[in-house]
Amino acid sequence: MDIPRYWRLKSQRYRLQGRRCTDCGSLSFPPRQVCMKCKSRNSEPYEFKGKGKLYSYTTIYQSPDRFEQIIPYVVALVDLEEGVRITAQLTDYFPEQLEIGMDLEMVIRQIYEDGPRGPILYGYKFRPILCPGIES
Amino acid sequence: MSKMMKPSRDVGIVGYGAYIPAYRLPGTEISELWRDGQDNKFLPVKQKSVPGKDEDTTTMSIEAAQNALKRAKINPAKIRAIWVGSESHPYAVKPTGTVVAEVLGIAPDTLAADMEFACKAGTEAMQAGFAFVGSSMGEYALCIGADTAQGRPGDALEYTAAAGGAAFIIGPAEESLAVLEGSYSYVTDTPDFFRRAYQRYPEHGNRFTGEPAYFKHITSSVSALLEELKLKPEDFAYVVFHQPNSKFPLKVGKMLGFSKEQQKYGLLSPSIGNTYAGASVVGLTDILDHAKPGERILISSFGSGAGSDTFSFMVTSKITKAAKLAPKTKTYIDRAIPINYAAYARLRKKIIKE
Ligand SMILES: [Zn+2]
């Protein structure tokens, strides 16, 4: 059980909170303390909107122990609207529905249960966009 | 004594939203496995919604609440209470509401608690929300009813025990898309359905669940409110009841003098099953998706143990814009990924690996 870590990472996992460099405007996720572009250490929290496109994906059949309950599952590279590429699990897609470039949106799901007695970890996953017309 | 409940300050619903998982188990799958298909023609519902392997009452509450927030268009930090009604809270001890509050940006200036009253926990949360805003303790309250119900394999309830939920942001009447006209709650000690601590599946009293439980409580609760409001069934454009199957809501509607037409929207059990604390309130979201200003809505829940909450709402002009701001309930109903019993057994953790 790594309870302090769960607690520390909750804004990133619940709200896709990264950082924005206050010198050059570069965004990062997961959040970085030093800007990758201009090396500045000045940054502020930034919440990504949670909309993106599928860049690539793979299906996992052999997983770490904590994900054994959900195999097979799909891990994807998602290009966020704001121009940052992140790794995330996909959920709730029809078989054959996945297509490179398709529109995705973030949802909050169980990531794993830390055994029958430990905490349940929640965080972002992505799914095919439900209502393309609606702005969030 | 006036039986009706209504806060001194006028209140209503400023935002609403639903969530229904994508997976559907047809009743025929259950019938084929346990009864050789013998009851295929008498299924209580055609199919039921099943939560995905990464879903629970917390995740469903979050999405329903996000939809409610999109419609309410308020600063989430102004929500000062969050109540989640469910009989399937993921933890035995640790509130569901705090996770919802954190994800939506409501925390930390809020109170949060979980409620339980079988299938009426959602409307119970709404009653509390109306009282809280009605007394001006806070400007807004978030009230949720959601469940991932479990039925024992082969039991009659396995056909219907489904998953889904709805969220409502309660606020002042001036900002509401539906204003509360009055409510009434009715409870008795009736052991029609229960689940003891540490038990995975509930017990139910078979025939006992109908007359003395569902029908008695809903008819008593609805009749009392109509009498207090001096309204008749025909004064309502829509009515929604708790829906443990396809037949009960139509039958209780008929007993009370409501037409089938008044249940044209909101009667969702035939396509998603019984979503327990979500059942009547998800129905209400479907009605709100279709309602027009000036129309009146009656909602009556039923929870085993037993009780019924009934509310009368008047729809305002704010509905027209708000309805379009988040996915409609029908969008979730139509997003249906069919599964077989084997997939269902795995999703509902009925297969235990040693
Ligand atoms: Zn920079």
Side-chain angles (χ1 to χ4, degrees):
Chain A
M1 263 192 250
D2 192 359
I3 290 178
R5 188 178 145 86
Y6 294 162
W7 185 77
R8 210 170 51 240
L9 295 180
K10 70 183 182 211
S11 346
Q12 356 183 328
R13 284 178 171 155
Y14 288 178
R15 295 197 298 271
L16 217 58
Q17 191 182 90
R19 310 254 349 147
R20 182 183 170 277
C21 170
T22 47
D23 289 316
C24 78
S26 290
L27 301 173
S28 63
F29 192 92
R32 290 177 187 278
Q33 294 310 317
V34 179
C35 177
M36 290 286 277
K37 206 168 159 194
C38 74
K39 307 289 177 239
S40 161
R41 284 177 176 275
N42 306 319
S43 66
E44 60 188 8
Y46 178 89
E47 268 180 41
F48 289 84
K49 272 168 68 186
K51 295 275 166 68
K53 285 187 191 300
L54 181 57
Y55 176 75
S56 186
Y57 66 96
T58 185
T59 305
I60 309 286
Y61 296 95
Q62 298 287 332
S63 73
D65 287 353
R66 59 177 49 156
F67 294 124
E68 219 180 31
Q69 289 294 330
I70 60 163
I71 49 165
Y73 60 94
V74 170
V75 172
L77 290 170
V78 180
D79 283 338
L80 297 176
E81 235 173 50
E82 294 91 340
V84 172
R85 181 172 294 163
I86 67 166
T87 307
Q89 281 185 33
L90 299 188
T91 191
D92 289 352
Y93 44 85
F94 286 84
E96 322 296 323
Q97 190 187 8
L98 298 184
E99 210 177 295
I100 302 300
M102 75 188 295
D103 289 315
L104 301 171
E105 65 187 348
M106 173 187 139
V107 289
I108 296 297
R109 292 301 170 88
Q110 281 188 5
I111 304 299
Y112 57 84
E113 294 176 45
D114 198 341
R117 294 171 57 187
I120 303 168
L121 182 69
Y122 296 97
Y124 58 84
K125 291 192 180 182
F126 279 75
R127 73 169 175 209
I129 197 160
L130 191 70
C131 285
I134 292 170
E135 270 302 300
S136 59
Chain B
M1 163 193 116
S2 165
K3 284 185 173 180
M4 188 169 76
M5 292 190 277
K6 195 181 180 212
S8 47
R9 177 195 192 193
D10 282 333
V11 296
I13 297 168
V14 302
Y16 69 93
Y19 180 77
I20 300 157
Y23 308 94
R24 299 287 180 275
L25 179 69
T28 49
E29 283 284 323
I30 300 168
S31 176
E32 292 296 338
L33 182 67
W34 298 110
R35 284 164 214 193
D36 281 342
Q38 168 246 4
D39 53 349
N40 257 344
K41 298 223 158 52
F42 317 99
L43 299 172
V45 295
K46 195 174 130 253
Q47 56 183 16
K48 66 169 183 172
S49 59
V50 178
K53 50 194 171 188
D54 54 5
E55 294 188 284
D56 61 22
T57 291
T58 301
T59 65
M60 298 196 309
S61 296
I62 289 168
E63 186 157 341
Q66 285 168 332
N67 288 335
L69 198 55
K70 281 177 193 168
R71 290 194 170 102
K73 292 181 93 170
I74 57 161
N75 174 0
K78 287 187 173 172
I79 295 173
R80 303 300 302 279
I82 161 164
W83 285 301
V84 185
S86 180
E87 59 137 64
S88 47
H89 291 287
Y91 287 92
V93 177
K94 187 185 180 305
T96 302
T98 52
V99 185
V100 180
E102 193 85 50
V103 171
L104 269 79
I106 297 169
D109 300 317
T110 186
L111 71 89
D114 294 348
M115 293 200 173
E116 188 277 317
F117 193 144
C119 296
K120 91 168 183 82
T123 53
E124 192 82 42
M126 289 172 79
Q127 282 288 40
F130 290 130
F132 180 81
V133 176
S135 70
S136 298
M137 270 182 77
E139 201 61 0
Y140 303 103
L142 172 61
C143 306
I144 301 173
D147 259 311
T148 54
Q150 285 272 27
R152 179 178 282 112
D155 186 86
L157 290 181
E158 193 179 28
Y159 290 93
T160 52
F168 299 88
I169 295 172
I170 308 301
E174 316 82 76
E175 299 172 35
S176 295
L177 48 85
V179 171
L180 177 73
E181 294 188 307
S183 70
Y184 174 66
S185 293
Y186 177 92
V187 303
T188 70
D189 175 11
T190 306
D192 57 321
F193 168 102
F194 45 85
R195 177 164 63 83
R196 296 280 304 274
Y198 308 112
Q199 294 299 302
R200 189 148 178 227
Y201 299 113
E203 298 298 322
H204 55 92
N206 289 311
R207 290 182 173 277
F208 197 56
T209 58
E211 290 309 327
Y214 182 88
F215 294 102
K216 166 79 179 150
H217 288 77
I218 291 185
T219 53
S220 303
S221 155
V222 171
S223 308
L225 184 65
L226 292 188
E227 201 185 309
E228 292 281 321
L229 286 169
K230 298 186 174 52
L231 291 172
K232 289 191 257 335
E234 52 270 31
D235 295 323
F236 293 85
Y238 313 99
V239 62
V240 60
F241 300 105
H242 175 53
Q243 33 204 278
N245 50 42
S246 309
K247 277 185 194 157
F248 276 24
L250 289 172
K251 189 176 162 193
V252 82
K254 204 172 166 191
M255 286 163 73
L256 285 160
F258 290 93
S259 71
K260 226 175 148 177
E261 187 63 19
Q262 286 164 293
Q263 294 194 57
K264 187 168 108 185
Y265 301 116
L267 179 47
L268 310 173
S269 53
S271 44
I272 59 169
N274 177 6
T275 57
Y276 284 53
S280 55
V281 288
V282 176
L284 177 59
T285 65
D286 182 50
I287 289 175
L288 289 169
D289 282 342
H290 294 93
K292 289 185 248 349
E295 288 183 325
R296 190 175 269 131
I297 303 170
L298 188 84
I299 167 172
S300 184
S301 65
F302 170 72
S304 291
S308 169
D309 302 317
T310 301
F311 305 86
S312 174
F313 292 105
M314 177 55 81
V315 178
T316 76
S317 60
K318 295 210 178 344
I319 193 73
T320 324
K321 248 193 193 162
K324 295 183 195 126
L325 298 176
K328 300 210 165 170
T329 303
K330 184 152 191 311
T331 305
Y332 288 104
I333 292 173
D334 293 345
R335 179 189 66 150
I337 304 176
I339 55 170
N340 59 23
Y341 198 94
Y344 164 73
R346 190 180 163 195
L347 285 180
R348 297 312 281 133
K349 301 189 168 69
K350 291 177 197 299
I351 301 172
I352 311 294
K353 293 203 285 180
E354 285 305 319

